[in-house]
Amino acid sequence: MTDELMRTRIEKATAANKKLAEKLNRRWYPRFHIAAPAGWINDPNGLIHFQGRYHVFFQHHPYSDEWGPMHWGHVSSPDLVTWERHPIALAPSIEEDKDGVFSGSAIVGPDGRLNVFYTGHRWRNGKDGTDGNLQVQCRAISEDGIHFEKLGVVVEGPSELLDFRDPKVWKQGDRYYMVFGAQSADHRGQVWMYVSRDLETWEFDRVVFQDPNPDAYMLECPDLFPLGDHWVLVYCPMGPAKDGYRNRNGHNAGYVVGDWAPSQDFTPLTEYRPLDWGANFYAPQTFEAPDGRRLMFGWMGAFDDPVASQGTDNWAGQLTVPREVLLLDDLQVALRPVAELTRVLPNESDFGSFTVTGAKTLAEDLTCADIELTLDYAASTAERIGLQLADTFVYYDDLAHRVGIDRRQAPVEPRGYRAAPVDPDDELTLRVLVDAGSVEVFAGDTCVSSLTAASDGPRAVTLTAEGGDAVVTACHVRTLD
């Protein structure tokens, strides 16, 4: 199917995006995270290593910094460090995707071409979601990973499904498997599975999983993959109410560890657990690197509340840094920044070991940093140990045994805080990735990621101890080249 209309619409969207970028405000725009040149970005899509490069596609509205008819933006990298922008990969151009080229995934076909599968989206009433969605799964192919040809619909799905989207495809044995998120006719969140031998003809296999929480009416962005001796099902449940520190965002992401084999249901071995406890983490997707690592990107943004840059800066949202996904002995999933990130921030200051009583300045002005701080937890007496990063406070609270990001001093909304459980041994290591408008905190098997906003002027970094001393055994601050 030669798609002249798609090419025309890509050209139009690119021109509009360039015009938008002319007035881009870079005060909080990321320096080492993936973001659109201007406009809106959400879910990472089509993550794959293809023809010697890592490819990251993403949901993109090129016309404004608000969500709108979805296109696929595209960047690639040889090393997960230096990213090159490519033309918009997909734009609405056929009847089935006229209201949006929604999320999906990528796989290399038997002929060596790149196949992407995405959800073609239409509004049932032709204008908005009041009467529900019409969603089908579509396929496009590419010789070079940059220019695509649409092949149309491959999975229709039952017409009674209220939501049916976000295909994730992988190969196992001589078959291809595809899972989607679905909202059933009785409003239960489910994961559906289809099977194919050739990537062209797909047959329904089963409802492979249903969230036991009846409040979860839809499971977005499912991802099923092997890790260790088990399988991990990642998904984003829509509907569950706030529960203490959990489900604080309008949209949340988590996982269940279990067992699965072809022609079987997914059997959970754990309860649903958050993947990231921050204010801005959603729609994660994984893929396998050439060396066998399972890598993940997530979206840092929000649908419900405007982020700081919206309405003023001509851009909204970014992706997380690439993270390695690990399965621990207790069946906890842990996320770690990939090792390649040390090449992004190579200038290192080693502060050695020291004790903090009150405060210690680490930098007078620092926009981007990779801060690694190791505490002698047994010897420290402070009730709270923190890093003041301009207007954002990253801390470990020894009373609550939680690590958190506090944005109460931010110059604009959103503010508030998020915190994750940490159970330290004799030692506690915090790794904090700071960009112009975001903070990602890693501690033990937990992480907290939030967009941030800093006031104009120098962005000092200060280490603080409250109610006692903080005994630091190692402190490294890495900055951009």
Side-chain angles (χ1 to χ4, degrees), residues 216-332:
Y217 64 84
M218 171 60 183
L219 308 185
E220 291 195 304
C221 304
D223 191 354
L224 183 60
F225 54 88
L227 210 57
D229 296 328
H230 301 287
W231 285 73
V232 178
L233 176 62
V234 169
Y235 63 93
C236 302
M238 302 176 70
K242 296 176 181 177
D243 178 18
Y245 288 92
R246 295 171 178 258
N247 302 330
R248 299 304 305 186
N249 307 322
H251 293 75
N252 304 278
Y255 69 94
V256 175
V257 178
D259 291 325
W260 177 78
S263 303
Q264 294 183 15
D265 295 341
F266 175 79
T267 303
L269 299 174
T270 70
E271 75 285 359
Y272 170 85
R273 298 165 174 167
L275 264 174
D276 187 300
W277 296 72
N280 304 106
F281 181 88
Y282 195 64
Q285 186 176 113
T286 73
F287 69 108
E288 188 174 351
D291 59 9
R293 288 177 298 169
R294 176 65 54 171
L295 305 183
M296 173 186 286
F297 284 87
W299 170 49
M300 298 185 72
F303 289 117
D304 304 300
D305 299 314
V307 297
S309 62
Q310 269 181 283
T312 57
D313 293 5
N314 277 356
W315 68 278
Q318 64 182 53
L319 301 188
T320 64
V321 295
R323 302 173 177 186
E324 184 175 1
V325 188
L326 304 171
L327 184 63
L328 306 182
D329 291 341
D330 60 358
L331 299 189
Q332 292 278 350

Side-chain angles (χ1 to χ4, degrees), residues 116-138:
V116 299
F117 294 85
Y118 69 91
T119 297
H121 172 74
R122 289 170 288 169
W123 304 116
R124 284 184 185 267
N125 61 14
K127 60 180 181 179
D128 57 36
T130 304
D131 300 319
N133 309 303
L134 289 170
Q135 295 179 332
V136 294
Q137 315 313 321
C138 303

Side-chain angles (χ1 to χ4, degrees), residues 65-374:
D65 60 13
E66 303 286 343
W67 186 90
M70 286 292 100
H71 299 56
W72 273 33
H74 182 200
V75 296
S76 75
S77 170
D79 55 9
L80 296 172
V81 174
T82 304
W83 295 92
E84 178 185 350
R85 296 196 187 281
H86 296 295
I88 291 171
L90 297 171
S93 63
I94 60 177
E95 176 64 23
E96 290 83 2
D97 66 20
K98 67 178 183 179
D99 292 322
V101 179
F102 274 19
S103 289
S105 57
I107 191 170
V108 178
D111 60 0
R113 292 187 296 181
L114 184 63
N115 288 249
V116 299
F117 294 85
Y118 69 91
T119 297
H121 172 74
R122 289 170 288 169
W123 304 116
R124 284 184 185 267
N125 61 14
K127 60 180 181 179
D128 57 36
T130 304
D131 300 319
N133 309 303
L134 289 170
Q135 295 179 332
V136 294
Q137 315 313 321
C138 303
R139 180 187 178 205
I141 58 172
S142 174
E143 299 280 353
D144 59 6
I146 297 173
H147 304 93
F148 285 85
E149 176 187 354
K150 290 182 180 178
L151 299 182
V153 177
V154 293
V155 175
E156 291 278 358
S159 60
E160 67 270 14
L161 284 184
L162 302 175
D163 294 281
F164 183 55
R165 56 183 174 270
D166 309 333
K168 180 64 189 297
V169 180
W170 74 96
K171 186 179 183 183
Q172 187 163 342
D174 61 352
R175 294 192 178 190
Y176 298 93
Y177 294 84
M178 182 188 294
V179 288
F180 323 88
Q183 178 183 180
S184 68
D186 60 349
H187 308 288
R188 294 299 299 269
Q190 298 176 336
V191 176
W192 287 40
M193 178 177 284
Y194 279 66
V195 181
S196 173
R197 291 188 180 275
D198 57 9
L199 295 174
E200 298 177 12
T201 303
W202 293 85
E203 297 180 354
F204 174 74
D205 181 74
R206 68 190 57 236
V207 176
V208 72
F209 175 78
Q210 176 173 285
D211 195 310
N213 184 347
D215 294 333
Y217 64 84
M218 171 60 183
L219 308 185
E220 291 195 304
C221 304
D223 191 354
L224 183 60
F225 54 88
L227 210 57
D229 296 328
H230 301 287
W231 285 73
V232 178
L233 176 62
V234 169
Y235 63 93
C236 302
M238 302 176 70
K242 296 176 181 177
D243 178 18
Y245 288 92
R246 295 171 178 258
N247 302 330
R248 299 304 305 186
N249 307 322
H251 293 75
N252 304 278
Y255 69 94
V256 175
V257 178
D259 291 325
W260 177 78
S263 303
Q264 294 183 15
D265 295 341
F266 175 79
T267 303
L269 299 174
T270 70
E271 75 285 359
Y272 170 85
R273 298 165 174 167
L275 264 174
D276 187 300
W277 296 72
N280 304 106
F281 181 88
Y282 195 64
Q285 186 176 113
T286 73
F287 69 108
E288 188 174 351
D291 59 9
R293 288 177 298 169
R294 176 65 54 171
L295 305 183
M296 173 186 286
F297 284 87
W299 170 49
M300 298 185 72
F303 289 117
D304 304 300
D305 299 314
V307 297
S309 62
Q310 269 181 283
T312 57
D313 293 5
N314 277 356
W315 68 278
Q318 64 182 53
L319 301 188
T320 64
V321 295
R323 302 173 177 186
E324 184 175 1
V325 188
L326 304 171
L327 184 63
L328 306 182
D329 291 341
D330 60 358
L331 299 189
Q332 292 278 350
V333 168
L335 305 180
R336 305 275 192 268
V338 295
E340 289 88 338
L341 280 177
T342 57
R343 301 207 303 273
V344 179
L345 301 126
N347 301 321
E348 182 171 320
S349 297
D350 185 349
F351 288 85
S353 60
F354 53 88
T355 298
V356 177
T357 303
K360 176 182 176 65
T361 299
L362 300 181
E364 297 290 347
D365 187 9
L366 201 57
T367 300
C368 301
D370 178 356
I371 303 171
E372 195 162 359
L373 182 72
T374 302

Side-chain angles (χ1 to χ4, degrees), residues 353-356 374-382 385 465 469-474:
S353 60
F354 53 88
T355 298
V356 177
T374 302
L375 300 167
D376 185 335
Y377 176 71
S380 297
T381 59
I385 300 164
D469 299 333
V471 180
V472 177
T473 58

